[in-house]
Structure formats: C-alpha cells, structure tokens
Amino acid sequence: REKRNLVSIQTVFSQTNVPNKIEYFSLDVEGAESIVMAEFPFEFYSFKFITIERPKADLVQLLERNGYKQVLKLTKWGETLWVNTLDVLLSQQEIEDIVKQYPTRGY
C-alpha cells in the first residue's frame, strides 16, 4: 500500500502566497471536490469564477452559502461555471455572450 501525505488547500494557498482574490479557479479532483472544499476558508480567499465538474449537492450548498451562483453548464459531461455574486457584476446574458466567444470541446 502506497503512503501519501495530504495537505489542505488552505495550507497550499498560504505556503505559496496565493492572493486573497483569485480571478479563476478550476476544481477537478475526480469526485473529491466536496472533500477538498469542505473546510475552505472563504473568509480569507475568494474566486471571481470557478469551474467544477458535476458538483455534488453538498458542494452546491456550500458555494451558494458563500455567495457563489452557478450560471452555466459548459459541457455535456457536467462542467459548470460559477461566479462570485459580490465580485462579478455581469448579467447572465453578458456571461453567456463571453462564454460563446471561447467554445469548449464537448459542448
């Protein structure tokens, strides 16, 4: 059995001097997204935009409680786009227009 050392995302962020306001974050950890974000320090870090593949209900609730809104499903396999409602002052239509300019594979 292989031994692995795990660290929290907060530890990674603090030790690598990640800024408190992050423009874009892609969260894809093969089904463990809820585990990774369960203790995330939303009071210290925020993202303008997040993409998440098939977020589970508990993660959806966590994001919504912390001011994020799912605005689009980007791919047929469930990649979703979330925005921080405090930092992103674009309408739904403006977001859709921007996304259309950058087509993704598999949509």
Side-chain angles (χ1 to χ4, degrees), residues 22 26 38 44 50 52 65 75-76 79 90 93:
I22 300 161
S26 175
F44 297 117
I50 308 173
I52 306 170
R65 276 195 318 269
T75 63
K76 62 185 174 185
E79 187 82 12
L90 297 171
Q93 187 61 53

Side-chain angles (χ1 to χ4, degrees), residues 37-38 42 57-69 82:
M37 296 304 286
F42 287 100
D58 60 332
L59 180 55
V60 167
Q61 291 173 356
L62 177 67
L63 291 168
E64 289 174 346
R65 276 195 318 269
N66 285 283
Y68 294 87
K69 175 184 174 187
W82 293 75

Side-chain angles (χ1 to χ4, degrees), residues 31-45:
E33 290 81 4
S34 295
I35 295 167
V36 168
M37 296 304 286
E39 300 296 322
F40 186 79
F42 287 100
E43 65 276 13
F44 297 117
Y45 297 100

Side-chain angles (χ1 to χ4, degrees), residues 2-103:
E2 184 178 338
K3 183 178 178 179
R4 297 173 188 230
N5 294 319
L6 303 175
V7 297
S8 71
I9 195 167
Q10 181 176 4
T11 299
V12 173
F13 279 18
S14 65
Q15 290 184 357
T16 56
N17 297 316
V18 169
N20 296 83
K21 294 229 178 231
I22 300 161
E23 295 290 322
Y24 171 70
F25 183 62
S26 175
L27 181 62
D28 185 0
V29 288
E30 304 308 317
E33 290 81 4
S34 295
I35 295 167
V36 168
M37 296 304 286
E39 300 296 322
F40 186 79
F42 287 100
E43 65 276 13
F44 297 117
Y45 297 100
S46 67
F47 312 102
K48 283 189 178 180
F49 301 92
I50 308 173
T51 52
I52 306 170
E53 187 176 322
R54 293 186 301 273
K56 295 179 181 138
D58 60 332
L59 180 55
V60 167
Q61 291 173 356
L62 177 67
L63 291 168
E64 289 174 346
R65 276 195 318 269
N66 285 283
Y68 294 87
K69 175 184 174 187
Q70 181 180 329
V71 293
L72 289 172
K73 182 176 172 186
L74 296 171
T75 63
K76 62 185 174 185
W77 60 83
E79 187 82 12
T80 57
L81 175 65
W82 293 75
V83 298
N84 183 317
T85 57
L86 297 175
D87 291 337
V88 178
L89 303 177
L90 297 171
S91 70
Q92 180 74 31
Q93 187 61 53
E94 289 170 317
I95 292 168
E96 290 176 15
D97 290 345
I98 291 167
V99 170
K100 285 178 190 173
Q101 294 176 35
Y102 303 95

